[in-house]
Amino acid sequence: MEQKTEAAAKHFAALVEKQLARVERMKRDREFTDFSALPQVVIGICGGDGIGPVITREARRVLEYLLADEVKAGKVVFRMIDGLTIENRAAQGKSIPDDVMEQLKSCHVILKGPTTTPQAGGPLPNLESANVTMRRELDLFANVRPVKVPELGIDWAFFRENTEGSYTLGSQGLNIDEDLAFDFTVTTAGGTDRIARLAYDYAARNGKKRVSIVTKANIIKTTDGNFLRRCHEIGRQYPDITTDDWYIDIMTANLINEEIRSGFQVFILPNLYGDIITDEAAQIQGGVGTAGSANIGQHYAMFEAIHGSAPRLIEQGLGDYADPSSILRATVLLLSHIGRQAQAEKLERALDICSRAGRGKKATGSADGATCREFGDFVMETVAQL
């Protein structure tokens, strides 16, 4: 038993050292890049796995159309980044191979298709999620997901902390023996402060009057408790905004409570809870295929669909029927983030129109709907008419 506890203590000490070093890096680097002020914006296009290349191709077409004048003037450059297929990652034994990471870091913003994460115990190497790796290495600390259903009075913005919580150490758990296993979660003052401030700044800029903090601080008292306390401290700096807090279990119920859900506006959540509850919110909007996601850092940003790589769709030979709506919604967020607000609003209006079309014009993931390419054409035609 003593040998096991010594090995566990050594493992945990190494994790603590890495996190302390990360805390010091956050303290040193407090500057934010103004993406809209860059003389040239480099946009990386990363297809990913499964249906990723199919849907990403349509998003690239739309981007190239909307930014054609800026590309011609040299203000926007596109770079295709291959190498995030599960086959390449498994062959190299890395969630993101070194050469691919270098390419990602050469871009300012990245439009990324979904990537497959191997399941523990499966035939593939037990690699960390490529998303988790990218968020950590590019320090993409904020996952921002808007959900809007105007006819239901829903206009929500979720700010999910991206680089801490349960996910950042999710591949670094410890099996003491066959009877005992540990995983780890982490919360830092600097990490919590910056996601909270981003959420409150968003609320202030957009006329929102309510921010809701979501944790399980009654049970996860240390990490969730610190997260809750520091969010409240930031909230006190915004006296015109009402702050309330909820436990994650009741908030999942609140989102389907028609009597109160329209009163919520902006949410701040640790990583795991944010992942779960934003999928629930997207389902209320019409499904995970209807929502995009922004991953924001101080010097990089990555935009993606919130669904997975849909390997079953590929296995069934239906990959060409994949719905690109989610990654096109992410493209709206990308355009807004780099200061191209007029193009972002035009694409968002076009997607709202196209989402209400009949089944023959919508990509449904089955052969009785439009193909991904056909839906992309429909979006392009609609954008051109606005």
Side-chain angles (χ1 to χ4, degrees):
M1 182 178 294
E2 184 177 349
Q3 188 176 15
K4 292 178 181 178
T5 56
E6 287 178 357
K10 185 177 180 180
H11 181 90
F12 185 63
L15 296 181
V16 172
E17 288 178 6
K18 288 182 180 178
Q19 290 303 309
L20 287 172
R22 177 173 164 270
V23 167
E24 292 304 313
R25 287 196 300 272
M26 282 193 288
K27 289 179 179 178
R28 290 194 302 269
D29 185 10
R30 299 182 182 274
E31 297 297 319
F32 278 76
T33 298
D34 183 355
F35 293 85
S36 65
L38 294 172
Q40 183 184 74
V41 178
V42 181
I43 302 175
I45 308 290
C46 197
D49 289 316
I51 63 171
V54 179
I55 62 174
T56 305
R57 183 174 59 239
E58 298 311 307
R60 181 187 179 185
R61 279 210 300 150
V62 171
L63 270 176
E64 289 176 340
Y65 174 77
L66 287 168
L67 299 174
D69 291 341
E70 300 201 50
V71 171
K72 193 177 299 183
K75 295 180 180 179
V76 172
V77 173
F78 291 100
R79 288 186 186 162
M80 295 301 299
I81 300 175
D82 298 317
L84 273 188
T85 62
I86 187 58
E87 293 80 10
N88 186 50
R89 290 183 284 133
Q92 298 201 37
K94 288 197 168 186
S95 58
I96 299 181
D98 293 343
D99 60 327
V100 179
M101 183 60 73
E102 288 181 15
Q103 294 177 66
L104 292 169
K105 289 182 175 180
S106 72
C107 304
H108 298 111
V109 296
I110 299 151
L111 184 68
K112 176 190 161 294
T115 47
T116 301
T117 302
Q119 185 175 2
L124 293 168
N126 187 23
L127 300 175
E128 181 179 57
S129 160
N131 273 3
V132 170
T133 302
M134 192 181 302
R135 290 165 180 164
R136 183 179 62 246
E137 293 300 314
L138 302 183
D139 200 21
L140 305 176
F141 68 88
N143 183 253
V144 184
R145 295 184 178 181
V147 170
K148 294 182 181 180
V149 190
E151 61 270 24
L152 298 178
I154 291 172
D155 186 357
W156 297 329
F158 295 88
F159 286 77
R160 165 193 171 195
E161 205 294 318
N162 237 358
T163 57
E164 300 188 352
S166 304
Y167 283 20
T168 188
L169 301 178
S171 64
Q172 299 177 58
L174 180 63
N175 287 300
I176 304 298
D177 55 28
E178 63 182 13
D179 296 317
L180 180 62
F182 283 94
D183 271 314
F184 302 98
T185 187
V186 61
T187 295
T188 69
T192 303
D193 288 356
R194 64 184 183 176
I195 187 67
R197 194 170 300 282
L198 194 71
Y200 279 101
D201 283 348
Y202 168 87
R205 289 196 314 271
N206 290 275
K208 307 298 183 181
K209 297 299 183 183
R210 182 180 184 184
V211 171
S212 302
I213 309 163
V214 183
T215 68
K216 192 62 177 172
N218 58 330
I219 303 297
I220 314 297
K221 294 183 184 293
T222 304
T223 49
D224 277 23
N226 285 346
F227 186 93
L228 177 62
R229 177 176 57 81
R230 295 201 70 94
C231 285
H232 271 296
E233 289 177 4
I234 297 296
R236 283 192 283 272
Q237 300 173 26
Y238 298 79
D240 295 334
I241 296 174
T242 298
T243 298
D244 52 29
D245 61 77
W246 301 81
Y247 298 136
I248 179 61
D249 42 2
I250 191 61
M251 183 54 78
T252 60
N254 287 341
L255 294 194
I256 58 173
N257 184 338
E258 296 178 2
E259 294 184 3
I260 67 170
R261 65 185 180 186
S262 61
F264 293 106
Q265 295 181 324
V266 178
F267 302 80
I268 313 173
L269 314 92
N271 207 331
L272 175 61
Y273 311 143
D275 189 11
I276 295 168
I277 208 167
T278 52
D279 278 7
E280 181 194 18
Q283 191 63 35
I284 295 168
Q285 182 176 256
V288 293
T290 67
S293 177
N295 298 270
I296 308 299
Q298 292 172 224
H299 307 296
Y300 297 97
M302 181 265 283
F303 303 84
E304 61 180 341
I306 72 169
H307 55 70
S309 56
R312 287 191 184 90
L313 213 58
I314 298 296
E315 291 167 4
Q316 294 167 4
L318 295 172
D320 287 340
Y321 290 88
D323 186 350
S325 295
S326 183
I327 201 160
L328 288 171
R329 293 285 180 183
T331 303
V332 172
L333 300 174
L334 185 155
L335 288 165
S336 179
H337 190 70
I338 63 174
R340 276 61 178 183
Q341 193 59 35
Q343 293 96 322
E345 291 174 0
K346 182 177 286 190
L347 177 56
E348 186 171 37
R349 289 200 304 273
L351 289 170
D352 288 343
I353 293 168
C354 294
S355 68
R356 296 193 292 269
R359 194 171 182 84
K361 286 195 171 185
K362 291 174 69 174
T364 62
S366 59
D368 63 347
T371 65
C372 184
R373 178 80 180 193
E374 289 168 343
F375 184 75
D377 288 339
F378 183 32
V379 172
M380 295 275 283
E381 293 165 4
T382 306
V383 167
Q385 294 170 4
L386 293 174

